[in-house]
Each structure stands twice: as C-alpha cells, then as structure tokens.
Amino acid sequence: MQATPFYYRLSMAMFKPLYQLKLQINKTLPNEIEQRFGKVYPAITTQKPMIWCHAVSLGETNTAEPILRDLLAQGYALWVTNTTHTGYNRVEQLFAPEIAASKVYHSFVPVDSKAVIDKFLAHVQPVAALFIETELWGTTLAELNNRQIATILVNGRLSEKSFKGYQKAAKLSQSMMENLSLIIAQDSDSAKRFRQLGATSDKIRIASSLKWSSKTNPLMLSRAEKLRESWNLSDRAVILAASTHEGEELAILDSFLTVKAQYANRHPLLIIVPRHPERFDDVAKLINSKNLPVIRRSQDGEPAKNESVYLADSMGELGVWYALSNIAIVGGSLVNIGGHNPIEAAIVGKPIIMGQYTQSCQLIVDQLKQSGALVQVSGSDELTQQLAHWLANPKAAQTAGHVGQILAEKYQDATKQQLAMIMQCIADNKEQLIKSEIQKIDHEPVASDGRKFIDDL
C-alpha cells in the first residue's frame, strides 16, 4: 500500500467536522449524514460477491448503467454510491426493481476518513471497487489497496485542467495512481496524463468511452411517439434544450424567439429540460418574464399550437424529449460547465448544437463535429444562425442527425471492451490473493508432528 501524505490526512481530519456541520445546515435526504459518516447502511442479504461502484452524479450514473447491468448479469451484487442528490435519485430510479430484490444496494459515498472507510468496507466487503471517470480519494484508495481489493478507474478521463490540479498535489496523486489496480482511459491524452501523475504503463488500458454506449430505449421511443400524436406535432419543428444550467436558458430563449418569428410556418416548439430539479421554478419564472405561458410537465400540461415553450420539469425522461425533438441543444456547454453527453442525442439521430465549453466530453464532441453531426457555436448570434439554418433546411438537419447515429452505433461495443478489462482485473486479483494465501502457508513454521500452523487461515 502507498500511504497517503500526512498533509492530506490532516486536512481531511480538519475538513470532516466542517463538512458534517454543512450537511446538518443544508437540506439532506433520509439517512444521508449517517451514510456519509459510516453510521448506518442498508443490511446485506445477498450471498453474491459484491462490487462497489462510485458514480459522483447524474452523468456518471447514466454512463455507468450499461456496465452495471452487465455486472449484474455476470452474477455479482452491486453497492452503488453517489456524491450528489441527483445521482442518488437516478440510481433509485434506474435500479428500483434490483434494489427491491436485494441485487443492488445504495448509499451516499463515505467521507474520505480512515475510520469511516473502515466501517464502510467492513460492511460492504467488496471484491472490487469501480470509480467512474475521475473522482478519486486518497485514503479510500489506500484502504482498498491495503485489503487487496481490485480497484479500477472506469472510463477514466483527465482533462488538461484537472491534470494541472492533480499536479499541485504530486505526492497525493502519485499515491492514488499506485493504489489503483487498473486505469481504463477514454483516450490517449488521458492515459498520458495518468502516467505523468505516476501510474505505470502496465496499469493503463485505453478503450472507447462508455458514453458511446447510450442505447435507444424502446419505451422512451414509444412514449415520444404517443406524445407526438397527442400534441399534434407532425408539422411542428421541436427544438430541445437538454440538461441546461443557469445562464443557458436565457440565451436559448432569446435565440428561439428570434427564429420562431422568422420561421412561423414551422410552428417551432422549444422544450427546456433543466439539469437540476431545484432550478425548475426559477426557469418557469424566466419563461414567464418573456411574456410566455409556462406549460409544465409536472402539471401535465400539453402545448397547444399557439404555445411555443414547454418546461419538462421531470426526472428520468430525457430520452423521451430527445426522441421527440428535431434539433437538440446539449447544455452545460454554453456556460463553463464542460458539456453533457451528446451521444444521447446522436443515438436517436438528432442534429446537435453545443457551445464552446465541451472539455468534459471533448473527444466525443470532436468526433461528432468531424462527421457533421454536431455544430459548436460561440455566443447567442451563432446559436440563432445555426437554429435558423436547420429550420430553413430540414433535410440538412436530418442528414446531420443520421450521420451522428451511424457514428454512435459504430462505437456500441464500448461497454463490452471495458467490461472485459474489468473482469480480467478481478480474475487476476483473485489469482494473486490465492497465491498470497499459499505463500503464507508455505512460510508458516512447522510443528513437531509435521503439521502447519494454519489456525489463522
């Protein structure tokens, strides 16, 4: 085990009570504080080997879903942790039947304190731990390594900005790299940065991003078709603003109102899906401020032909809105968030618009952009121009969507690639554990009657 630096352990010890105080002040979910501090966890009833998977938030949870379902099919039970409420709620939604059947267990992630991690690991007893994309914790990785638990960074991504941040804590970063069993990087640039932080080449593999594994959901497609019919959308151009953040809705609304006036013959409808549910009411007020009626999903509203903005204030239905749309604007990219996954739009054949802030999914954006499926815009004027272009040329929009769909289907084996690497790492770790036990037996002192002292095995 590579120990975490003393300065890190000290800072976490000082941070722990402050973090607990913050949680007590803020709004939390039932048992959240207890779970984060190792007090209470769901009882385990399964006899299946357990794999712990940590997915920070909503995006990482969606990314991990296909590979988690494959691990369930392989005969493992899962313990899934999240950092954010949106990620936690998404797990509850995605795996409700599996949670009820005690195949999936769920909690908030434990804080990175040895005492808490010890309690968590003693309860869960995982055979492997998966961390999705980038969130790593020094003490957690050290304790996993100390217990000889296979520890895998899945779909690893390290942007230049994140890399520079990790470099500032070089000793901590090196300890984390050494305590990982396997790093599955999304691209060669990330792999190079992981090596520069201290990961040895034998621990690093490169595979297609799991974000490419988004699949068409027949249920979502069916619901979209029913809405298309009941809302009489056959002659309307539907523009989706997906996973939007503060500052994006205003820019999108302004551009939309401009093109709505120019292309009234297409009766444009804008569907806005804010990324975070706590912003639903704020976005409703923003729509009202434009002298527009607010048609809300939560109130079972249906947009009439003379109503042009719809607020999809619900969770877990983004696939429906992508399927229903003719043009998709993917949020988190018009403001400096890093951009959300555009594959969900591509897999259902929608032309995509994103802003300039796409560092969280840059390789995917570049590939879709090169194929002609995605256009990046800088500012409201360019957004308006691109919307106008595709409204004026619906066949061009359909062609862009089609080439993106072909590209997304090409990379559908990403889950299979990374799953094979995970399974091999778990198998190798198991073999190493067996060898270690044999070596312990071989080195035990021999009793006078020739027997081994194996009382502790």
Side-chain angles (χ1 to χ4, degrees), residues 295-310:
I295 318 300
R296 300 180 69 154
R297 173 65 168 168
S298 61
Q299 298 171 358
D300 296 322
E302 295 189 6
K305 205 155 193 175
N306 63 336
E307 294 170 327
S308 57
V309 179
Y310 181 83

Side-chain angles (χ1 to χ4, degrees), residues 70-289:
D70 283 349
L71 288 169
L72 287 171
Q74 293 283 337
Y76 290 96
L78 299 175
W79 193 291
V80 184
T81 59
N82 303 99
T83 302
T84 69
H85 288 183
T86 51
Y88 185 92
N89 290 332
R90 184 59 170 158
V91 171
E92 294 282 310
Q93 183 181 59
L94 287 174
F95 295 101
E98 291 81 5
I99 292 171
S102 297
K103 295 178 180 178
V104 173
Y105 298 83
H106 189 209
S107 70
F108 284 96
V109 67
V111 296
D112 198 37
S113 157
K114 186 179 186 305
V116 176
I117 295 299
D118 283 345
K119 290 178 182 177
F120 176 78
L121 294 178
H123 181 74
V124 177
Q125 298 186 38
V127 298
L130 312 181
F131 297 87
I132 309 300
E133 294 197 353
T134 53
E135 184 165 293
L136 298 172
W137 294 97
T139 301
T140 299
L141 293 179
E143 292 307 312
L144 285 165
N145 186 292
N146 187 43
R147 288 165 174 75
Q148 296 179 284
I149 297 169
T151 307
I152 306 164
L153 181 61
V154 178
N155 213 48
R157 175 181 57 82
L158 196 59
S159 67
E160 183 66 27
K161 181 180 179 181
S162 296
F163 170 67
K164 290 178 179 178
Y166 278 109
Q167 273 189 318
K168 292 176 182 177
K171 288 186 178 180
L172 173 62
S173 297
Q174 183 170 355
S175 75
M176 292 194 295
M177 295 300 104
E178 292 184 12
N179 286 326
L180 282 165
S181 307
L182 175 66
I183 297 170
I184 306 175
Q186 292 184 25
D187 54 75
S188 57
D189 286 340
S190 290
K192 179 181 177 181
R193 291 170 189 141
F194 285 123
R195 279 195 298 272
Q196 291 174 331
L197 290 179
T200 54
S201 295
D202 61 302
K203 288 186 177 182
I204 302 174
R205 305 287 184 274
I206 298 176
S208 299
S209 172
L210 289 179
K211 291 182 185 292
W212 286 108
S213 296
S214 298
K215 297 179 180 178
T216 53
N217 185 322
L219 177 62
M220 297 291 184
L221 296 178
S222 174
R223 288 168 63 186
E225 284 306 310
K226 288 178 182 177
L227 286 178
R228 190 186 307 279
E229 183 177 342
S230 65
W231 290 1
N232 297 313
L233 297 179
S234 58
D235 63 343
R236 299 192 71 175
V238 179
I239 299 168
L240 173 65
S243 298
T244 55
H245 292 256
E246 184 176 0
E248 293 187 310
E249 294 95 358
L250 179 59
I252 292 168
L253 274 168
D254 287 343
S255 290
F256 172 76
L257 292 174
T258 299
V259 297
K260 173 179 175 279
Q262 293 174 349
Y263 298 95
N265 62 313
R266 297 208 61 192
H267 311 289
L269 171 66
L270 174 65
I271 298 176
I272 301 177
V273 188
R275 180 71 170 184
H276 298 117
E278 60 268 24
R279 296 193 57 249
F280 288 162
D281 289 342
D282 289 341
V283 176
K285 291 176 183 176
L286 177 63
I287 296 169
N288 257 329
S289 73

Side-chain angles (χ1 to χ4, degrees), residues 303-419:
K305 205 155 193 175
N306 63 336
E307 294 170 327
S308 57
V309 179
Y310 181 83
L311 177 59
D313 53 349
S314 63
M315 298 296 289
E317 295 188 306
L318 189 56
V320 174
W321 311 126
Y322 274 124
L324 196 64
S325 68
N326 300 107
I327 300 168
I329 304 168
V330 179
S333 63
L334 299 172
V335 294
N336 195 5
I337 299 297
H340 296 299
N341 184 11
I343 303 301
E344 293 176 85
I347 199 64
V348 288
K350 309 304 175 181
I352 304 161
I353 299 173
M354 294 186 76
Q356 293 299 300
Y357 302 104
T358 54
Q359 59 270 23
S360 294
C361 48
Q362 195 60 58
L363 181 62
I364 292 172
V365 168
D366 289 343
Q367 289 171 293
L368 286 168
K369 189 175 176 181
Q370 288 167 11
S371 74
L374 183 150
V375 173
Q376 282 191 274
V377 299
S378 179
S380 297
D381 289 344
E382 289 188 12
L383 174 61
T384 304
Q385 290 169 13
Q386 188 57 44
L387 286 173
H389 172 68
W390 274 339
L391 287 173
N393 300 278
K395 287 187 176 179
Q398 289 172 3
T399 298
H402 183 62
V403 297
Q405 189 172 35
I406 291 172
L407 186 63
E409 290 171 350
K410 177 183 175 182
Y411 288 102
Q412 283 294 291
D413 65 344
T415 299
K416 188 183 296 184
Q417 287 178 5
Q418 297 208 30
L419 179 66

